[in-house]
């Protein structure tokens, strides 16, 4: 039976098919007036993702893209902590999504795994990066990457940027879903493999004294979060948005932003150059982002985030 024969009979759909099929299925459902949840990446081409976001926006439909890390309580805490300057001036973000596992057959590892942290960094900062540099390997010789290292530059200009790195791959032993936030006043390590005690904060900072830089190690705190299954939480949010006809916490524009960054990363990996990402306002959050209110590389007395 052709699943498309059921489309007229449904109110909403969750699309979990091979990534190259997302665009056609998603568009068909949107044009039929259906609310649609699609797994990441929303599409494999940013121009297609933009078409879907514009279509959903015009129709008033609920079109979330699957980025479940946003729904983890630890991620929500980190976002608010960054916005409140809990860490002082933000120095860097680092993430690792890797481990020995079977590779996806329909996309490379940057599209499959790195995109999670691309979206999460955009979520934390309220803006997508201005440019990206990437190195990728195709050890399996399939024509797609199975190891990648991304450097994302956030900020208004090159004079005072904030850099974020994302490592992803299928080869290293173990399973790593880890994120590090480094600030001028304190830092945090978030291990998404842990059920409750995901975040450890460190009151470590560097201080200039007598012409030298001292490294002062402070207290370490372990934070407990209520157990939550992010995949379940994002689907509950989708259903809630449908029932209340309210915007999804993660809309199609967020999916477009993430795909646009992956495209730039792929171009960078091929050319070896930094790739600028076009500065458009589509899909920008109305929430003031980090760079609108704070200098990302400077902390000090105005940071207002120390305990």
């Amino acid at each position: 039976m052709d699943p498309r024969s059921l489309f007229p009979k449904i109110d909403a759909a969750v699309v979990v098919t091979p990534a190259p099929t997302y665009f056609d299925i998603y568009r068909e459902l949107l044009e039929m007036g259906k609310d649609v949840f699609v797994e990441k990446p929303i599409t494999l081409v940013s121009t297609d993702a933009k078409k879907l976001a514009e279509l959903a926006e015009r129709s008033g439909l609920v079109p979330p893209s699957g980025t479940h890390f946003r729904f983890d309580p630890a991620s929500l805490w980190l976002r608010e902590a960054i916005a409140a300057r809990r860490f002082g001036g933000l120095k860097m973000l680092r993430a690792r999504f890797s481990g020995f596992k079977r590779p996806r057959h329909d996309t490379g590892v940057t599209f499959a795994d790195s995109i999670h942290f691309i979206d999460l960094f955009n979520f934390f900062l309220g803006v997508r990066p201005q440019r990206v540099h990437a190195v990728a390997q195709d050890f399996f010789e399939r024509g797609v990457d199975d190891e990648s290292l991304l450097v994302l530059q956030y900020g208004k200009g090159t004079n005072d940027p904030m850099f974020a790195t994302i490592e992803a791959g299928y080869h290293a032993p173990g399973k790593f879903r880890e994120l590090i936030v480094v600030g001028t006043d304190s830092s945090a390590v978030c291990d998404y493999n842990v059920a409750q005690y995901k975040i450890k904060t460190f009151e470590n900072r560097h201080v200039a004294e007598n012409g030298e830089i001292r490294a002062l190690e402070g207290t370490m705190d372990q934070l407990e979060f209520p157990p939550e299954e992010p995949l379940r939480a994002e689907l509950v949010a989708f259903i809630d948005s449908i029932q209340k006809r309210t915007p999804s916490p993660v809309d199609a524009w967020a999916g477009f932003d993430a795909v646009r960054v992956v495209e730039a990363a792929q171009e960078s990996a091929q050319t070896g150059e930094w790739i600028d990402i076009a500065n458009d306002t589509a899909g920008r959050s109305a929430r003031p982002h980090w760079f609108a209110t704070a200098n990302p590389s400077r902390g000090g007395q105005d940071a207002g985030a120390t305990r």
Side-chain angles (χ1 to χ4, degrees), residues 57-80:
E57 193 170 63
R58 289 194 303 268
S59 61
L61 297 171
V62 176
S65 56
T67 49
H68 65 268
F69 278 135
R70 286 196 186 206
F71 291 86
D72 194 298
S75 297
L76 299 174
W77 186 90
L78 286 169
R79 186 197 192 206
E80 293 307 315

Side-chain angles (χ1 to χ4, degrees), residues 4-307:
R4 282 180 163 83
S5 65
L6 299 175
F7 287 1
K9 305 176 183 180
I10 63 175
D11 298 314
V14 176
V15 179
V16 187
T17 57
T21 68
Y22 285 172
F23 176 71
D24 288 337
I25 296 175
Y26 200 160
R27 181 177 60 180
E28 183 175 348
L29 286 164
L30 287 177
E31 289 175 342
M32 294 176 69
K34 312 298 182 180
D35 296 308
V36 188
F37 176 96
V38 66
E39 254 298 344
K40 56 80 191 165
I42 185 172
T43 67
L44 296 179
V45 182
S46 66
T47 52
D48 287 344
K50 190 171 185 179
K51 291 175 184 176
L52 294 176
E54 291 171 341
L55 176 59
E57 193 170 63
R58 289 194 303 268
S59 61
L61 297 171
V62 176
S65 56
T67 49
H68 65 268
F69 278 135
R70 286 196 186 206
F71 291 86
D72 194 298
S75 297
L76 299 174
W77 186 90
L78 286 169
R79 186 197 192 206
E80 293 307 315
I82 290 171
R85 297 181 67 81
R86 163 68 176 79
F87 305 107
L90 195 59
K91 288 184 176 180
M92 68 187 79
L93 298 171
R94 292 181 177 175
R96 185 179 183 188
F97 193 126
S98 65
F100 186 78
K101 65 176 182 177
R102 178 182 61 84
R104 280 185 59 158
H105 70 276
D106 55 351
T107 64
V109 73
T110 304
F111 256 125
D113 293 343
S114 300
I115 197 169
H116 281 291
F117 284 121
I118 291 171
D119 175 75
L120 195 57
F121 289 166
N122 293 349
F123 177 60
F124 286 168
L125 302 176
V127 65
R128 77 178 180 213
Q130 292 214 326
R131 59 178 189 156
V132 59
H133 192 280
V135 177
Q137 293 286 346
D138 177 15
F139 289 111
F140 294 130
E141 298 182 349
R142 301 182 304 150
V144 293
D145 57 328
D146 44 63
E147 291 285 330
S148 70
L149 176 62
L150 277 56
V151 181
L152 313 176
Q153 179 187 313
Y154 289 87
K156 289 186 176 181
T158 58
N159 293 329
D160 202 11
M162 197 283 295
F163 293 98
T165 63
I166 302 172
E167 176 188 344
Y170 298 129
H171 301 273
K175 180 181 178 181
F176 301 93
R177 308 290 185 271
E178 185 180 72
L179 184 150
I180 300 173
V181 179
V182 179
T184 55
D185 296 336
S186 64
S187 301
V189 176
C190 179
D191 185 350
Y192 287 101
N193 286 330
V194 177
Q196 288 179 264
Y197 294 94
K198 285 184 168 70
I199 293 179
K200 293 180 181 179
T201 62
F202 301 83
E203 303 298 325
N204 298 342
R205 58 194 179 93
H206 289 96
V207 176
E209 190 175 280
N210 299 324
E212 296 183 353
I213 303 296
R214 295 182 59 199
L216 303 181
E217 293 190 23
T219 59
M220 185 275 285
D221 289 330
Q222 189 165 274
L223 307 184
E224 181 181 9
F225 297 90
E228 175 65 86
E229 175 49 59
L231 288 172
R232 176 185 178 278
E234 69 174 352
L235 291 174
V236 168
F238 174 50
I239 295 171
D240 189 62
S241 295
I242 292 173
Q243 293 175 334
K244 297 179 181 177
R245 304 316 302 171
T246 55
S248 168
V250 188
D251 62 14
W253 285 115
F256 161 73
D257 283 340
V259 172
R260 183 67 190 90
V261 175
V262 173
E263 280 184 336
Q266 291 176 324
E267 183 180 350
S268 174
Q270 293 173 353
T271 64
E273 303 290 336
W274 281 93
I275 301 300
D276 292 330
I277 300 174
N279 182 24
D280 61 64
T281 58
R284 297 284 70 76
S285 171
R287 181 179 186 270
H289 58 70
W290 174 261
F291 296 100
T293 57
N295 185 315
S297 67
R298 295 189 176 93
Q301 298 299 318
D302 63 339
T306 57
R307 292 184 177 179

